[in-house]
Each structure stands twice: as structure tokens, then as C-alpha cells.
Amino acid sequence: MLSDLQGTRELPKEKQLLDRLLSSEVKADLLSLFHRNPGLIDRMDGVARRIGRTAAEIEADVRDLVDLGVLFKKKFSKSEVIYYDRKRDAEIQQVVSNLLKREVGG
Amino acid sequence: MMRVRTGISELDQMLGGGFMERDAVLVAGSPGTGKTILGLQYLANGVTQFGENGIYVTFEELPDQIYRDAKNLGWDLRKMEDEDKFRLVCTSPDLLLETHDGEHLLDEPMKQVNARRIVIDSLSHIGMYVEEKRDIRKEAYQLLNYFKTKGLSSLSIWETPQILGDSFSITDVGLSFLVDCIVLLRMVEIESSMRKALVVLKMRGSDHDKRLREFEITSQGIKLKSTFSEYEGVLSGAARRSLTDEAARSLAKAFGAKELEKR
């Protein structure tokens, strides 16, 4: 099941998370894509095409986002699909919002 | 038999109360006729009026426009998603056709919202991923049957190339035989303006209104208007006003009965 992997990993600490999320333009594009289209389920090349890149260009960043628990990968038939977790989306927004509030407030 | 209402009251009347439960419905039409809006309205009304949750499957590259367009029509899909009543799934057509150890890509979204309705936008995209035209029919058959076994009432969109013209086929791959109901949306030219027409071409196991109805896309979605009773040849794309008895009498008076008799 696609949900098997979800909810089992905790997000890293706020600052560390933000640093890694913003460490490349591709990651920002991926986050933006999945935030706007949380129901996107596709292969690496399909995801890449949607942000105007190739699978090779996004592979390392996808791996990092999977490692962070933001994106998920699952073997499905002949393919490996990438997808997003809506609950994670809300968590990330909260983390970023908290951090920004503190930065601005401090 | 349970009916699945679209929430568009005049259309539901044409369908004898709504689509039949678990039926596979095909909505065919050329670009700009309102197929996507009809699909979204079917799902949004399902959630808001009938407590029937749904899934919208799109193969568009950037489907976030769907959220925006739906919101402009009064349907807040993101809110419905937050409430676990709706899912917009965006994927590639070939992935939708695959199963893995009996698991289908849509199993999880279906479970998440306890879906009763599904819209595929569009079935035409499958054609891009099969080698032979006849394979579209095979793949579509499997997909539509999968929805039926899951208890879903499906509405699949099919794009027809014709905008106007006097010859048309719903699909050239034989899908008409696979589906239980066909709704055709069509542009027609009447008195030098483009208008939209809807007709229910087929409804397996149920009587239905066979007349063509004009419809409009309003700020609340699709609204059906009257039939084209004063016109002939509407499906040809270029309708002409039919000669009513009153018009015939006026004509006879103007030209004299003998003139008409000569013709």
C-alpha cells in the first residue's frame, strides 16, 4: 500500500530541514510542484517533465527529499513511483512558518 | 435500481433520475464544449449534495489549474480534499493501466475518501500509450470493469476532434460498445452564433430523453436550457429553422397558395 511508508519517519529539526529543503533550485521546484499538486503520483521522468527537467537532473534531489521523509518512493509493477503525503505538506508548512516567525520575531 | 444524480436537475430528468449506479458513462465532445466542467460538477455535486465522495483523475501536466477553475465555479476542491471527501489524482495514463500484486494505483485514494464516483480526464490519453488502436478498447475495458468491481460509478471523458460538421463518430476505437451510457456535447452554429448542445445517445437498461438540449456554462457550472424544437439538423453542426405551421401559413399568405402548390 502506498500508505505503508507514511507516518513512520519524523521530520528533522526545523533549521536543518529548511537548510536541506532550500539547498537547490530543483528541490524548490519539486516542493512547489507537489504542494500545488498533492495528488501527483508519477515516475521519475514524469515528475521531471512537469518541472521542465530530465530524470537525471532531479534524481539526487528526489533522493534527498525521500531521505527527509517529504517524498515517497514505491515500486509499482514495472515502475518506481514518486508521491507526496498531504499530512507531511501541512507539517512542512508549519515548520517553515514557525521558523520564519521566530526569525522575523527575533 | 439506484440512480446516481449529477445534481444538474434538467440532466437528471433527461436520464430518468440520474445515471444508473456503477455504470460506465462516456462524455464525448470536442475541445471547449465543457466536458471537464461536467466531470467536476458531477463530483462536486456528489460530495456537497449527495454525500458521495469522488476522485478526479487527470493526465494534465499541471493540474493545479483544475483547482483554480473549479473554485471559480464555486467548488472548493482543496477544502473537499482536506475533509477527505475528494481526491485529485494526477498521473501518467500507462501507470493507471498497471496493477502490481493485485494492487492498483487508485486503491489508496479510493480508500482514503471512500469513493463512490470517479472521473477520468481523459480516456483519450490512453491512446498515446498503446501500440495498436484496438488495444485502447482492451485497456479501457479492464479499467472500467475495475471501477465497477470497486463499486464506483465512473464518468470517462473522450475528446472528439470535430467541432462542427455533419459526420461524426463518438470514438473510432469501439468504446461506444463498452460503456453503458453516452452523453455527447457538441458545438452548433445557429443564426451565426456558436451554441452548445447536449444529447444522451445511449443509456443501457433505462429509458431516457432523446432530445437535444441547449446548455450554457454559467458561473455555477452547466445549466441546461430548452430543446432545439424550432430547428432541424442541429447535430450536423449547422442547424436550420424548421418550418412551423404558423410560418407555413404566413408563407402561403405571402406568396399565395397557388405559388406554393406549384412547388
Side-chain angles (χ1 to χ4, degrees), chain B residues 139-193:
Chain B
E139 298 290 357
Y141 179 72
Q142 285 176 353
L143 191 63
L144 297 176
N145 275 347
Y146 163 72
F147 295 148
K148 285 189 183 198
T149 58
K150 292 288 175 181
L152 293 170
S153 303
S154 68
L155 188 155
S156 301
I157 289 169
W158 184 266
E159 284 162 24
T160 57
Q162 303 93 336
I163 292 178
L164 291 172
D166 58 3
S167 70
F168 69 93
S169 60
I170 301 304
T171 76
D172 56 357
V173 292
L175 286 187
S176 308
F177 301 102
L178 293 186
V179 295
D180 304 297
C181 177
I182 300 173
V183 178
L184 176 68
L185 308 182
R186 190 147 169 85
M187 301 290 258
V188 292
E189 183 192 346
I190 295 179
E191 292 165 355
S192 301
S193 71

Side-chain angles (χ1 to χ4, degrees), chain A residues 51-68:
Chain A
I51 55 169
R53 297 176 191 271
T54 63
E57 283 174 320
I58 71 164
E59 201 172 357
D61 290 293
V62 166
R63 204 181 311 123
D64 205 18
L65 290 175
V66 169
D67 200 39
L68 279 168

Side-chain angles (χ1 to χ4, degrees), chain B residues 50-205:
Chain B
F50 310 117
E52 294 183 2
N53 300 342
I55 297 175
Y56 190 92
V57 180
T58 175
F59 306 125
E60 293 293 329
E61 291 287 290
L62 296 168
D64 47 331
Q65 288 170 0
I66 293 170
Y67 290 105
R68 182 201 61 196
D69 296 345
K71 199 160 188 181
N72 287 339
L73 292 162
W75 311 314
D76 191 343
L77 304 181
R78 290 199 191 272
K79 183 168 175 278
M80 291 180 202
E81 289 197 316
D82 289 343
E83 293 168 349
D84 284 338
K85 293 175 177 173
F86 174 84
R87 286 286 182 268
L88 193 153
V89 174
C90 163
T91 190
S92 295
D94 53 333
L95 272 176
L96 196 69
L97 302 175
E98 288 180 14
T99 50
H100 179 63
D101 290 340
E103 183 190 0
H104 192 273
L105 196 74
L106 294 177
D107 285 349
E108 193 62 31
M110 278 180 199
K111 211 164 61 181
Q112 285 170 358
V113 300
N114 189 22
R116 300 285 308 279
R117 302 179 178 205
I118 190 162
V119 170
I120 303 295
D121 189 2
S122 69
L123 218 48
S124 322
H125 281 82
I126 291 175
M128 294 158 60
Y129 288 86
V130 294
E131 285 175 14
E132 300 281 340
K133 241 181 186 180
R134 63 174 181 271
D135 291 339
I136 300 178
R137 188 175 154 142
K138 191 183 109 195
E139 298 290 357
Y141 179 72
Q142 285 176 353
L143 191 63
L144 297 176
N145 275 347
Y146 163 72
F147 295 148
K148 285 189 183 198
T149 58
K150 292 288 175 181
L152 293 170
S153 303
S154 68
L155 188 155
S156 301
I157 289 169
W158 184 266
E159 284 162 24
T160 57
Q162 303 93 336
I163 292 178
L164 291 172
D166 58 3
S167 70
F168 69 93
S169 60
I170 301 304
T171 76
D172 56 357
V173 292
L175 286 187
S176 308
F177 301 102
L178 293 186
V179 295
D180 304 297
C181 177
I182 300 173
V183 178
L184 176 68
L185 308 182
R186 190 147 169 85
M187 301 290 258
V188 292
E189 183 192 346
I190 295 179
E191 292 165 355
S192 301
S193 71
M194 296 298 280
R195 286 152 74 171
K196 293 185 171 82
L198 178 152
V199 64
V200 180
L201 286 181
K202 167 185 175 177
M203 195 168 179
R204 200 171 273 157

Side-chain angles (χ1 to χ4, degrees), chain A residues 70-106:
Chain A
V70 174
L71 292 183
F72 296 88
K73 264 183 175 181
K74 181 182 164 54
K75 183 98 178 86
F76 186 80
S77 190
K78 293 169 274 181
S79 326
E80 193 169 52
V81 293
I82 301 163
Y83 60 101
Y84 194 51
D85 181 11
R86 289 157 204 274
K87 285 182 185 135
R88 286 285 199 227
D89 185 50
E91 281 174 41
I92 291 165
Q93 280 190 70
Q94 191 60 50
V95 165
V96 173
S97 164
N98 290 345
L99 198 68
L100 288 174
K101 271 183 208 162
R102 275 211 301 276
E103 294 287 320
V104 173

